[in-house]
Amino acid sequence: MAEQVEEPSVRPSDPWRGPKFLTTKHNGSHTWQVIAGSATLGLAVAAGAVLAAGPWDNGQRKAERALAAAADHTGGAHHGRTTPEGPRPAPSAPAVLPALTAAKAAQDPAGLRAALTPLVDAPGLGKKLAASVVDTATGEQLYGHGATTPMTPASTIKIATTTAALSVLGPDHRIATTAALSPDSRTLTLVGGGDPTLAKADLRAMAAEAADALREDGEDPAGPVRLTYDVSRYTGPELHPISPNENIAPVTALMIDEGRLDGSDRGPADRTDDPAGDAARAFAEALEKAGVQVTGAPREARAADEARTVATHRSAPLSALAERTLTNSDNDIAEALARQTAIAKGEKASFAGARRAVTNELKKLQLPVGGAHFADGSGLDRKDRVTPALLTALLARAADPDRPGLRPVLTGLPIAGFSGTLDGRYERDAAGTGLVRAKTGTLRGVNSLAGTVVDRQGRLLAFAFLASGSTSAAGAEPALDALATALAGV
């Protein structure tokens, strides 16, 4: 039976589908604001982000702003309405809440304990709960309940995976897929770089580039060529320990659309058992349509050392991939980011190499990795272990104004009631809707929630609640949501 995991929303806020919710501004290096405005839903709340450059521009995800502009071609301040005097300024919505500046007083740990203690014993949470709440501005732990206890994190481990990848590679890194031509122009090799988001349209563009290069070599029509494909960038087992499984494809350096067979781009789906071969066959078809004669069926082989690159496709920036990983709880991208981290750290691009690389990078960031075990990058493996204290430390580090490159860890978190895996978790009029941003985690008997919320003093709090032994997600999730919501009211 397939492992029970969360089923990502079909309406996330990400660069592929567009935003549902506009979030966050930062005013000064240690001043967090929460701003609420009125719209048709009567609620749009923004919580702490970044002054520095990065995937956000003045608090708004750049990809979201670009998509919003593309969707409204009239755009501008006048919203498409003109007057004889020129564009009419758009009215500003009145604030529901005043902007919060620097916290007037430190958060009272006793108040936090009073708010959370009745909730940590909720029957739906199961046999064991571990928790941590910290003030991101100071790093001070405000509440702990088994905070240093290693627990199975499920998908909240993706917070560690994306942090390590962004720290090592930077938010602007792109994963390259290339086509290499042999010196005699008779063998073309599709070289996988580890981009699970590669699409057929990308292969068509690469095929056109390759065809042009072949014609420059004096062939018209181009070819004939033999087609091979190279997956040597990754090593070790391709199958995740829970595979075959609808939640993850074989982990290989070459695939298209995450090996999905149903046209989806998130959530469980039937997966191919030969993602690299499928990608190569799709490339062969694209080459034929581009006028290149391809002889025989594609076969696996490494590109020759002296082969020259004749076509390249680069993935979306790592900042966008990290956001998509967190918003949609994307297991395939998470495993790819773990392997990209391994490669950058000089480790083998395998499950074991990724474990060493992620662990060592988090140590380099001076994070509390004691008791942690990163068996995979996605959280599907029950051998994974993290502590609540590590998760809150990761979130606090991502909020550090001096580390803008880690900001996608925060901007990618699902928004309660609005996006990703929290889209359907909060009612529209619930107290935590729009205020809680958190990564969810669900395996059979394991439920977790880790993210951020702005309290009434205007402080950005990072929290992690890890529960095990629950009888059902339907009972555990509302209890976790109540814990996160309580933080916003203290």
Side-chain angles (χ1 to χ4, degrees):
M1 179 181 292
E3 191 77 60
Q4 179 188 355
V5 300
E6 66 231 18
E7 296 187 6
S9 161
V10 296
R11 294 181 296 167
S13 170
D14 64 44
W16 281 259
R17 286 283 187 175
K20 291 178 56 187
F21 185 71
L22 181 61
T23 59
T24 82
K25 285 191 177 181
H26 179 272
N27 182 20
S29 61
H30 291 288
T31 300
W32 295 93
Q33 293 182 322
V34 56
I35 300 169
S38 176
T40 58
L41 294 176
L43 179 64
V45 180
V50 60
L51 179 65
W56 279 55
D57 183 5
N58 291 327
Q60 181 178 356
R61 195 182 303 180
K62 290 182 178 180
E64 290 183 348
R65 189 177 65 175
L67 282 171
D72 182 7
H73 296 291
T74 56
H78 58 91
H79 290 200
R81 299 183 297 275
T82 59
T83 69
E85 293 76 25
R88 176 178 297 163
S92 298
V96 176
L97 297 175
L100 296 175
T101 56
K104 296 179 180 179
Q107 177 58 260
D108 178 17
L112 265 180
R113 287 194 300 273
L116 298 180
T117 297
L119 302 175
V120 298
D121 294 324
L125 294 173
K127 298 177 180 178
K128 187 176 183 180
L129 175 76
S132 173
V133 180
V134 305
D135 183 332
T136 62
T138 65
E140 177 189 359
Q141 180 170 286
L142 303 174
Y143 176 83
H145 181 85
T148 59
T149 303
M151 300 276 285
T152 302
S155 282
T156 56
I157 204 171
K158 292 182 175 75
I159 294 172
T161 303
T162 52
T163 299
L166 288 163
S167 178
V168 173
L169 297 162
D172 298 326
H173 177 78
R174 296 173 185 259
I175 304 171
T177 305
T178 61
L181 186 64
S182 62
D184 62 4
S185 299
R186 288 292 177 257
T187 301
L188 187 63
T189 304
L190 181 62
V191 183
D195 176 14
T197 67
L198 186 71
K200 287 186 177 180
D202 305 323
L203 293 178
R204 289 193 292 270
M206 290 181 65
E209 282 187 64
D212 289 342
L214 284 163
R215 292 189 185 99
E216 288 175 3
D217 286 349
E219 299 289 342
D220 192 11
V225 296
R226 296 179 296 273
L227 179 62
T228 61
Y229 58 97
D230 186 346
V231 293
S232 62
R233 190 167 178 79
Y234 286 1
T235 62
E238 289 186 355
L239 292 180
H240 189 281
I242 70 166
S243 293
N245 189 278
E246 64 183 1
N247 292 292
I248 190 168
V251 184
T252 177
L254 179 63
M255 64 171 67
I256 50 175
D257 300 327
E258 300 183 342
R260 297 172 180 273
L261 299 176
D262 62 357
S264 65
D265 66 353
R266 68 207 66 197
D270 289 336
R271 309 298 184 111
T272 178
D273 59 2
D274 184 19
D278 287 353
R281 287 184 284 273
F283 189 52
E285 182 179 344
L287 286 168
E288 292 279 2
K289 290 182 179 180
V292 178
Q293 299 178 40
V294 180
T295 60
R299 62 183 180 84
E300 183 180 342
R302 288 197 179 198
D305 291 339
E306 61 273 20
R308 62 187 175 97
T309 299
V310 293
T312 301
H313 170 75
R314 298 187 184 278
S315 72
L318 187 62
S319 57
L321 296 180
E323 287 179 336
R324 180 173 172 180
T325 299
L326 296 164
T327 301
N328 294 346
S329 198
D330 195 301
N331 300 311
D332 302 279
I333 301 179
E335 297 298 348
L337 295 185
R339 279 163 174 70
Q340 296 297 315
T341 302
I343 292 168
K345 296 283 285 184
E347 298 282 358
K348 291 183 178 180
S350 62
F351 285 107
R355 179 179 68 248
R356 292 189 294 270
V358 170
T359 302
N360 289 334
E361 186 59 23
L362 298 188
K363 286 180 179 178
K364 182 179 176 181
L365 289 172
Q366 298 182 322
L367 293 165
V369 296
H373 179 72
F374 302 102
D376 66 3
S378 60
L380 292 173
D381 197 322
R382 288 181 176 274
K383 294 180 182 178
D384 288 323
R385 293 289 185 275
V386 303
T387 65
L390 173 58
L391 291 175
T392 51
L394 284 160
L395 293 163
R397 188 71 85 245
D400 185 346
D402 294 330
R403 295 185 182 272
L406 300 183
R407 210 69 76 238
V409 176
L410 300 186
T411 61
L413 294 173
I415 304 168
F418 284 87
S419 68
T421 54
L422 286 183
D423 183 17
R425 285 267 291 261
Y426 287 69
E427 297 296 331
R428 289 303 169 101
D429 59 351
T433 299
L435 294 172
V436 175
R437 302 193 63 146
K439 181 70 198 74
T440 56
T442 311
L443 295 172
R444 193 176 297 108
V446 173
N447 296 275
S448 55
L449 191 68
T452 63
V453 67
V454 177
D455 69 10
R456 287 187 174 182
Q457 277 73 42
R459 290 182 177 273
L460 184 71
L461 307 182
F463 64 85
F465 302 114
L466 306 181
S468 66
S470 59
T471 57
S472 72
E477 290 175 354
L480 290 170
D481 296 343
L483 283 165
T485 299
L487 296 175
V490 294

